């Protein structure tokens, strides 16, 4: 009898024990991050400002702060980005990975037409030569895919709305046929209607092109709407991760539960919105235990002296939480 061996497909992004320390800090900015995004999958990375979300996503392009001390591995298509030479990085950034930034107007030259922005990104930087005519045809195809027409090529950034510019940025990100798309809070500056359109567009393009999507956001409802899996970050560590539906229905970390409790709801009773007391830990202070201990309603002595390791849910191994008291959250909400 012949045995057939099957190998798991290579993830679009696989971050392994990533640890980044910056000069002048008492603790790592990122401390042992494990995260992966499969091809055609949307993964949300959520948390408060300063938790390390953006730095985690930028590590896939090796866009790191000066003086950063980096340990671990960041694999894109099985290749470690952190050990790439300049030529390999150039090929990665122009063909394999693309990023949509939060503010589209900051990414475009106001004195150049949108068509120049789209076509120059491939004619001047692609490893494989591309003619201007081919690049223009590709730009028109992608503009149509994001709901715009070829007239946008002749316009300047000041002549279109913020929502249209974000669509242009999405089209630009797809010009190189990336296997991985990084979206750093791309809907923050948009109105609710435009935000919904952009989210629907990203979901459609992910299915159409089979692109892995890492979506960085502080909006839990947005993460629930778009993602297959979610990672919750706090103070440079992964507090909880798992399938989106399970994580939001049954959070297993007090921080996730507190974030959900502080999210505005139309059906919520009248009164003051719940809030998380205190502030995230300062980078100038060393951490010995759980980083959320000072703000946690479940904290005990062990939380102050020992950092918790991720614990798997008994009925769902893909759902993990780094908490000493995760069993106290099962089946009942946390009063925060």
């Amino acid at each position: 009898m012949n045995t057939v061996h099957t190998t798991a497909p290579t993830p679009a992004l696989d971050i392994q024990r990533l640890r980044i320390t910056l000069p002048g800090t008492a603790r790592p900015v990122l401390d042992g991050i494990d995260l992966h995004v499969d091809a055609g999958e949307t993964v949300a990375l959520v948390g408060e400002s300063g938790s390390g979300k953006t730095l985690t996503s930028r590590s896939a392009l090796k866009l790191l702060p000066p003086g950063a001390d980096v340990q671990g591995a960041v694999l894109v298509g099985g290749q470690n980005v952190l050990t790439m030479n300049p030529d390999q990085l150039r090929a990665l950034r122009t063909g394999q990975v693309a990023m949509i930034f939060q503010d589209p107007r900051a990414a475009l030259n106001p004195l150049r037409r949108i068509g120049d922005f789209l076509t120059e990104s491939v004619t001047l930087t692609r490893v494989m030569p591309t003619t201007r005519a081919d690049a223009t045809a590709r730009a028109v195809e992608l503009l149509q895919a994001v709901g715009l027409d070829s007239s946008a090529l002749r316009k300047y950034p000041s002549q279109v709305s913020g929502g249209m510019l974000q669509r242009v940025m999405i089209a630009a990100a797809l010009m190189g046929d990336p296997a991985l798309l990084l979206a750093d809070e791309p809907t923050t500056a948009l109105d609710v209607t435009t935000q919904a359109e952009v989210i629907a567009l990203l979901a459609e393009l992910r299915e159409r092109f089979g692109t892995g999507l890492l979506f960085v956001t502080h909006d839990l409802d947005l993460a629930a709407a778009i993602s297959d899996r979610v990672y919750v970050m706090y103070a440079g560590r992964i507090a909880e991760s798992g399938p989106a539906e399970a994580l939001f229905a049954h959070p297993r970390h007090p921080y996730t539960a507190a974030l959900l409790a502080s999210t505005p709801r139309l059906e919520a009773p009248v009164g003051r919105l719940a809030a998380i007391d205190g502030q995230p830990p300062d980078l100038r202070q060393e951490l010995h235990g759980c980083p959320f201990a000072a703000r946690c309603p479940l904290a005990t002595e062990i939380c102050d002296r020992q950092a918790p390791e991720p614990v798997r849910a008994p009925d769902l191994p893909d759902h993990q939480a780094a908490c000493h008291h995760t069993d106290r959250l099962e089946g009942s909400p946390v009063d925060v």
Side-chain angles (χ1 to χ4, degrees):
M1 181 177 177
N2 294 327
T3 302
V4 178
H5 297 281
T6 59
T7 57
T10 303
L13 174 65
D14 187 12
I15 298 178
Q16 302 174 359
R17 307 305 297 169
L18 179 62
R19 181 185 175 97
I20 297 179
T21 306
L22 300 179
T25 60
R27 62 175 177 85
V29 180
L30 298 181
D31 193 0
I33 300 297
D34 287 312
L35 179 152
H36 76 275
V37 180
D38 292 326
E41 179 186 36
T42 296
V43 171
L45 187 58
V46 304
E48 292 174 281
S49 297
S51 60
K53 306 185 301 297
T54 295
L55 185 56
T56 299
S57 65
R58 290 188 176 214
S59 69
L61 290 167
K62 202 179 179 181
L63 295 176
L64 304 174
D69 177 39
V70 185
Q71 301 174 34
V74 179
L75 306 179
V76 173
Q79 301 297 313
N80 190 357
V81 174
L82 302 180
T83 60
M84 286 183 175
N85 61 40
D87 288 338
Q88 291 172 320
L89 273 178
R90 189 176 301 111
L92 172 87
R93 294 170 178 173
T94 58
Q96 290 180 266
V97 185
M99 191 162 193
I100 305 170
F101 294 95
Q102 181 173 340
D103 182 5
R105 294 195 185 277
L108 281 81
N109 185 336
L111 302 180
R112 303 298 304 278
R113 296 181 189 271
I114 289 173
D116 295 330
F117 168 72
L118 291 173
T119 56
E120 287 177 354
S121 66
V122 292
T123 56
L124 299 182
T125 61
R126 285 290 299 273
V127 176
M128 297 297 293
T130 302
T131 66
R132 178 58 65 94
D134 289 342
T136 300
R138 174 67 171 165
V140 171
E141 176 190 356
L142 289 173
L143 285 174
Q144 292 173 344
V146 299
L148 301 176
D149 58 42
S150 59
S151 65
L153 294 174
R154 300 185 295 276
K155 296 180 179 179
Y156 291 93
S158 61
Q159 294 177 308
V160 299
S161 67
M164 291 179 67
L165 273 188
Q166 198 59 285
R167 290 170 184 265
V168 170
M169 291 302 300
I170 294 172
L174 295 172
M175 283 291 290
D177 296 318
L180 175 66
L181 188 58
L182 310 169
D184 185 9
E185 304 205 35
T187 62
T188 298
L190 305 179
D191 61 75
V192 176
T193 302
T194 306
Q195 183 183 87
E197 292 175 351
V198 170
I199 293 304
L201 175 62
L202 286 172
E204 178 187 341
L205 293 175
R206 179 200 67 174
E207 291 196 12
R208 178 175 172 181
F209 295 101
T211 305
L213 174 61
L214 179 62
F215 192 89
V216 176
T217 182
H218 63 272
D219 188 330
L220 271 71
D221 285 339
L222 197 55
I226 194 175
S227 61
D228 301 304
R229 292 186 300 109
V230 178
Y231 289 83
V232 180
M233 286 195 73
Y234 186 78
R237 301 178 187 177
I238 300 296
E240 184 171 2
S241 64
E245 184 177 355
L247 186 142
F248 290 121
H250 302 288
R252 303 186 70 246
H253 195 287
Y255 179 58
T256 308
L259 286 177
L260 290 169
S262 62
T263 302
R265 300 272 185 249
L266 290 176
E267 67 277 11
V270 177
R272 187 178 179 84
L273 187 67
I276 307 175
D277 293 333
Q279 297 291 329
D282 195 311
L283 278 170
R284 294 168 297 182
Q285 297 177 350
E286 189 175 355
L287 290 177
H288 299 284
C290 173
F292 190 59
R295 309 172 73 187
C296 181
L298 302 183
T300 60
E301 183 182 348
I302 191 175
C303 303
D304 292 322
R305 56 182 172 82
Q306 181 179 328
E309 292 294 327
V311 177
R312 299 179 184 273
D315 56 339
L316 192 61
D318 290 339
H319 191 178
Q320 301 183 61
C323 177
H324 293 297
H325 305 296
T326 186
D327 56 323
R328 294 172 60 185
L329 281 169
E330 306 223 3
S332 61
V334 175
D335 182 11
V336 291

